[in-house]
Amino acid sequence: DAKTTQPPSMDCAEGRAANLPCNHSTISGNEYVYWYRQIHSQGPQYIIHGLKNNETNEMASLIITEDRKSSTLILPHATLRDTAVYYCIVRVYNFNKFYFGSGTKLNVKP
Amino acid sequence: EAGVAQSPRYKIIEKRQSVAFWCNPISGHATLYWYQQILGQGPKLLIQFQNNGVVDDSQLPKDRFSAERLKGVDSTLKIQPAKLEDSAVYLCASSRNTGTSGGRYQETQYFGPGTRLLVL
């Protein structure tokens, strides 16, 4: 059911930018892209979402390609506490339903 | 603002026993979701409530799972009888509203810490 494709794992050095890619080539015109993360033994935590334009908040930036078929979540200065599984989700039309894939395990290393 | 509360945090039962999980959503959130997360996988939606009505329960194994949200606030998810494959984390989430027609109105889902169930 997942409508997104993400690499299973990535490494990032502490203090560097972490760029997490997501492919959503079948996204519809009115479907949003959401990003959540899940730190070990916790519930998923909302990070950011967007439709067409790039978005930025205090946690991250979201870059969506012009054709909307892929996006990148950017953590500008990764810390050890950013080690988590990151989920890219396409919100299903009309029902606020999220299909979670397997996500990307981000390992931030000192 | 208090987050989504869930209890218990951990539960160990034997197969064929019954178990119930409780969720208290964020105040004012009309929509409540129950997810099942098996180890190594992403969460899978089991059931979605809008106030006290069921919006979607297509993924709920209705022969053994049941859920209710009688007063449109708290919710209970029950498994009876439990099987080994029910071992998972059960997550509750809430949001203010579902999307309106046209999908323009997007609401973020906020998750609780989850209940970790082990069936022996």
Side-chain angles (χ1 to χ4, degrees), chain B residues 1 5-6 14 19 29 51 58 73 75 79 85 88 91 94 97 101 105 108 110-111 113-114 120:
Chain B
E1 180 180 69
Q6 291 188 247
E14 295 188 349
V19 65
H29 280 196
N51 296 311
S58 58
V73 181
S75 177
I79 308 175
E85 59 261 36
L91 295 160
S94 69
N97 207 340
S101 176
Y105 185 61
T108 299
Y110 296 91
F111 286 80
L120 301 175

Side-chain angles (χ1 to χ4, degrees), chain A residues 1 30 32 34 36 38 40-46 49 87 91 93-102, chain B residues 9 33 35 37 41-43 45 48 55-56 95 97 99-102 104-109 111-112 116:
Chain A
D1 290 322
N30 57 359
Y32 283 67
Y34 276 74
Y36 278 74
Q38 189 170 26
H40 183 62
S41 297
Q42 298 182 21
Q45 175 192 25
Y46 168 78
H49 74 282
Y87 295 101
R91 179 194 181 280
Y93 174 80
N94 213 30
F95 280 108
N96 208 28
K97 183 188 297 185
F98 289 169
Y99 285 116
F100 286 80
S102 298
Chain B
R9 291 297 312 277
Y33 315 79
Y35 288 83
Q37 186 173 23
Q41 300 179 17
L45 179 68
Q48 177 181 345
V55 173
D56 180 5
S95 66
N97 207 340
T100 61
S101 176
R104 295 190 186 88
Y105 185 61
Q106 306 288 332
E107 265 301 349
T108 299
Q109 294 184 26
F111 286 80
R116 190 174 299 272

Side-chain angles (χ1 to χ4, degrees), chain A residues 28-93:
Chain A
S28 300
N30 57 359
E31 290 180 324
Y32 283 67
V33 178
Y34 276 74
W35 283 83
Y36 278 74
R37 73 179 182 184
Q38 189 170 26
I39 296 170
H40 183 62
S41 297
Q42 298 182 21
Q45 175 192 25
Y46 168 78
I47 301 173
I48 199 167
H49 74 282
L51 181 63
K52 296 180 183 178
N53 301 320
N54 298 336
E55 302 287 344
T56 296
N57 63 20
E58 64 278 5
M59 290 183 68
S61 294
L62 173 60
I63 308 298
I64 302 175
T65 58
E66 192 169 345
D67 63 8
R68 302 210 326 122
K69 293 184 176 183
S70 65
S71 61
T72 301
L73 178 75
I74 301 172
L75 307 179
H77 305 287
T79 70
L80 299 178
R81 287 177 293 181
D82 291 322
T83 292
V85 177
Y86 287 77
Y87 295 101
C88 169
I89 302 157
V90 170
R91 179 194 181 280
V92 174
Y93 174 80

Side-chain angles (χ1 to χ4, degrees), chain B residues 63-94:
Chain B
D63 57 334
R64 297 183 300 106
F65 286 66
S66 65
E68 59 184 13
R69 193 184 183 200
L70 292 175
K71 297 182 179 179
V73 181
D74 294 5
S75 177
T76 303
L77 176 69
K78 296 179 181 178
I79 308 175
Q80 180 179 10
K83 293 185 176 181
L84 297 178
E85 59 261 36
D86 298 331
S87 294
V89 175
Y90 291 85
L91 295 160
C92 179
S94 69

